[in-house]
Amino acid sequence: MNNRFIPYGRHNIDEADIKAVINVLKSGWITSGPTIEAFEKKLALFAGTQYAVAVSSGTAALHCAYAACGIGPGDEVIVPAITFVATANAAVSLGAIPVLADVDPQSLLIDPKDVSQKITPRTKAIVTVDYAGQPCDYDVLRQIADAHGLYLIADSCHSLGALYKDRPVAEYAHMAVYSFHPVKHITTGEGGTVVTNDELVANKIKCLRNHGIDMDFKARDKAGSHSYDMKMLGWNYRITDFQCALGISQMGKLDEWLKKRISLAARYDEALKGIDGISPLKSHPDRRHAYHLYVIKVKKSINRDQVFTYLRERGIGVNVHYKPINLHSYYQKRFNMGPGLVPVSEKCYGEIITLPLHPALSIEEQDYILENLHQTIVALSK
């Protein structure tokens, strides 16, 4: 057993990040303070939107985004079958029904043709997932959404910094959602944000993150009033000022980290040309891929799980992203989903492996990964 372990993703924290957090901890504002607004302004500018509302997690951001659209009991929300469960869970928590769309087999991005076939009179929104960091086909998806009067929500938790036709993803959707979990492009520990150009949506999310109350403590203090009103059912999805201080500090390094991810991905692409039986996912030339993940497909004659085990035994933290929603027992019991519902997603699930990719990954570590990947493919091909 190898003692080294190379994780598939990890955070980068330096002294400047630590200092930024300490300064806010000493400032007197720990929550609902000015650092949150400063972080939101940076995010809105980066995303090309007028508004950003920061919350406690990417999942909370999804929940608030759906609620701000008025999604509720009996509504249908179309989501890709291959995604983290939060994309569907946020709809279920509002009483809505997740409807699974299949994915493109080459990129694992949501298939617009299947989306069109899944729309019914009860459909309220289409939720895209920029899988692994690559934007979906937003021109086509926005046309579909507009033609049916639907919200288009971008689950962009993988794609902070990605571009579709030289423009940020958030410019194409009614709103986009980001995650700042430690394995994402930047981290606030936990945290997330909804970005949008819709002022009413932004204001509603600000209310929802604060128990549905119309004024937070800072606003009441500024107005010299004790009075507030709970206008809707909300949640405590507030993010802290010291988390946002970390986020602001991390944003200053995002461009550099994106370049490193793209460079490492290009190096993987080149090396994989020499390994028969392995292929990377398709990258579209009209998009800047943010490479949250680097996912490969293993040909059918090679057992993916054996590859997974072999690499894990050698200290390589490969993973699988993701088990299709319909194969989880909760969704099978609650919504009578099962195998055969999304055949492309189910086939691809048995073939995919995520290789380590993060800005701290060294060339030496990447070479070690590629060497062991080649060895296992050769061994399992015999």
Side-chain angles (χ1 to χ4, degrees), residues 7 49 59 81 144 214 228 242 294 319 330 353:
T49 59
T59 302
I144 295 170
D214 61 347
Y228 62 87
F242 55 88
Y294 188 88
N319 213 321
Y330 172 84
I353 293 183

Side-chain angles (χ1 to χ4, degrees), residues 43-58:
L43 288 166
L45 181 64
F46 189 82
T49 59
Q50 295 184 57
Y51 309 101
V53 185
V55 293
S56 56
S57 70

Side-chain angles (χ1 to χ4, degrees), residues 77-81 88 98-102 114 118 324-327 331 337 341-342:
V77 178
I78 297 175
V79 303
V99 175
L100 305 188
D102 221 332
D114 201 43
K118 300 293 172 66
I325 297 296
N326 61 305
L327 300 185
Y331 281 93
M337 295 181 179
L341 183 63
V342 276

Side-chain angles (χ1 to χ4, degrees), residues 25 39 126 137 153 160 205 212 217 304 379:
L25 288 173
F39 184 43
I126 299 167
D137 192 347
I153 303 171
L160 186 66
I205 293 172
F217 169 80
R304 188 275 311 276

Side-chain angles (χ1 to χ4, degrees), residues 9-32:
R10 58 158 298 168
H11 61 275
N12 280 18
I13 302 291
D14 62 19
E15 288 301 318
D17 296 326
I18 295 169
K19 184 178 180 180
V21 172
I22 290 172
N23 287 342
V24 168
L25 288 173
K26 293 178 176 179
S27 73
W29 280 107
I30 289 182
T31 187
S32 301

Side-chain angles (χ1 to χ4, degrees), residues 78 115-121 123-126 140-151:
I78 297 175
V115 168
S116 293
Q117 294 173 0
K118 300 293 172 66
I119 294 172
T120 75
T123 306
K124 195 70 173 279
I126 299 167
V140 174
L141 289 161
R142 185 57 188 258
Q143 288 172 8
I144 295 170
D146 288 348
H148 294 273
L150 306 176
Y151 284 100

Side-chain angles (χ1 to χ4, degrees), residues 33-44 218 241 244 248:
T35 309
I36 297 170
E37 292 181 6
F39 184 43
E40 289 172 336
K41 287 178 180 178
K42 277 189 173 292
L43 288 166
K218 187 175 66 172
D241 281 69
C244 290
I248 291 170

